[in-house]
Amino acid sequence: MNAKLSVNINKIATLRNSRGGNNPNLLNVALDCERYGAQGITVHPRPDERHITYKDVYDLNPLLTTEFNIEGNPKEKKFVELVLDVKPAQVTLVPDVQGQLTSDHGWDTIKNKNYLIDIIALFKSAGIRTSIFVDANIKMIEGAKETGADRIELYTESYAKLYSKNKEQAIESFIYAAKRATELNIGINAGHDLSLENLHYFATKIPNLLEVSIGHALIADSIYLGLENTIQLYLLQLQIN
Ligand code: PXP
């Protein structure tokens, strides 16, 4: 099975918000992504609502026909209420701090173990699949398993940064991390800075990959290639046989 492509539409909301109106129309773009082959839609609302707003999440929920993945920091009470209300297919827990430009680190699953056990149990009791954002670090993955999360999302920025210089070295820690996750029977997602340049190699080297969520590069590529073509090209990168 090829990994699923979940398109992160935060950048569409950023563009819309820059003029205060409704262009581009986020709901239409999300539905078009699905029509063009995306197997999921990801949103990452932040407390300042600078891109996806809480209202967007409520508006998208009844319209989507693929997997809805909501990312964010559960230490925000409003985020927890939103996720429990909407009951998406998946919630991805990310340890963002206020004002952070984008996610830049995974959970310390050892330090936050008791907190994560409780919050994950809460989401799982509502029937929501849980994933936690972690660096490709064996100890953090072992810690993730102990929290009861269904999946990890591997934070791929370090891979993407090193890829063009030395792709074998760039993927190394991710191969070890994925092996350990598989031994522990925890599912593997991945995201951050994945692109048309580096995605295929990642997917071939991490054969148990279940899902990638991709926003920035995909939306940037679509300026030149068009959204439909771009989504098709990303899907092609995920084909490993
Ligand atoms: N995963 C997480 C947890 C993220 O915060 C983001 C960015 O919002 C992504 C994946 C997608 O990263 P990118 O926009 O670089 O594709």
Side-chain angles (χ1 to χ4, degrees), residues 45-64:
R46 288 189 163 85
D48 59 10
E49 299 187 272
R50 66 180 185 271
H51 27 57
I52 291 290
T53 65
Y54 292 92
K55 180 177 182 305
D56 287 332
V57 181
Y58 284 106
D59 290 347
L60 282 161
N61 191 41
L63 304 179
L64 299 180

Side-chain angles (χ1 to χ4, degrees), residues 195-196 199-201 203 232-240:
S195 68
L196 284 178
L199 180 60
H200 185 67
Y201 186 71
Q232 290 298 310
L233 286 170
Y234 275 80
L235 288 170
L236 267 180
Q237 309 311 308
L238 292 170
Q239 284 189 9
I240 52 173

Side-chain angles (χ1 to χ4, degrees), residues 2-7 28-41 65-67 211-212 218 226-236 238-239:
N2 298 327
K4 288 185 173 171
L5 173 65
S6 186
V7 175
N28 289 344
V29 173
L31 295 178
D32 285 335
C33 287
E34 290 186 327
R35 211 153 51 82
Y36 299 151
Q39 294 131 327
I41 298 293
T65 54
T66 61
E67 286 201 348
E211 179 193 288
V212 288
L218 188 153
L227 188 57
E228 182 169 10
N229 269 330
T230 303
I231 289 176
Q232 290 298 310
L233 286 170
Y234 275 80
L235 288 170
L236 267 180
L238 292 170
Q239 284 189 9

Side-chain angles (χ1 to χ4, degrees), residues 12-158:
I12 302 297
T14 305
L15 185 58
R16 175 200 61 190
N17 297 352
S18 68
R19 280 293 168 97
N22 195 28
N23 186 26
N25 181 311
L26 185 85
L27 305 182
N28 289 344
V29 173
L31 295 178
D32 285 335
C33 287
E34 290 186 327
R35 211 153 51 82
Y36 299 151
Q39 294 131 327
I41 298 293
T42 292
V43 293
H44 190 147
R46 288 189 163 85
D48 59 10
E49 299 187 272
R50 66 180 185 271
H51 27 57
I52 291 290
T53 65
Y54 292 92
K55 180 177 182 305
D56 287 332
V57 181
Y58 284 106
D59 290 347
L60 282 161
N61 191 41
L63 304 179
L64 299 180
T65 54
T66 61
E67 286 201 348
F68 196 16
N69 174 41
I70 307 181
E71 299 178 342
N73 191 336
K75 291 193 174 166
E76 292 294 330
K77 197 164 156 258
K78 221 172 150 187
F79 176 81
V80 175
E81 285 167 3
L82 174 80
V83 173
L84 291 175
D85 247 10
V86 167
K87 293 194 178 49
Q90 177 174 271
V91 61
T92 300
L93 309 184
V94 186
D96 307 312
V97 293
Q98 288 260 7
Q100 193 174 287
L101 197 58
T102 182
S103 310
D104 64 6
H105 60 284
W107 285 98
D108 182 331
T109 55
I110 297 168
K111 257 195 195 150
N112 293 285
K113 179 174 155 184
N114 290 335
Y115 167 73
L116 287 168
I117 286 174
D118 290 347
I119 194 77
I120 284 168
L122 178 68
F123 289 132
K124 283 176 85 163
S125 68
I128 303 164
R129 191 173 74 222
T130 52
S131 177
I132 54 177
F133 194 55
V134 288
D135 293 312
N137 171 313
I138 301 286
K139 290 272 167 267
M140 293 304 128
I141 286 156
E142 291 171 347
K145 177 64 185 176
E146 291 188 24
T147 66
D150 301 294
R151 296 190 185 182
I152 49 169
E153 179 182 331
L154 291 171
Y155 173 38
T156 48
E157 194 212 358
S158 63

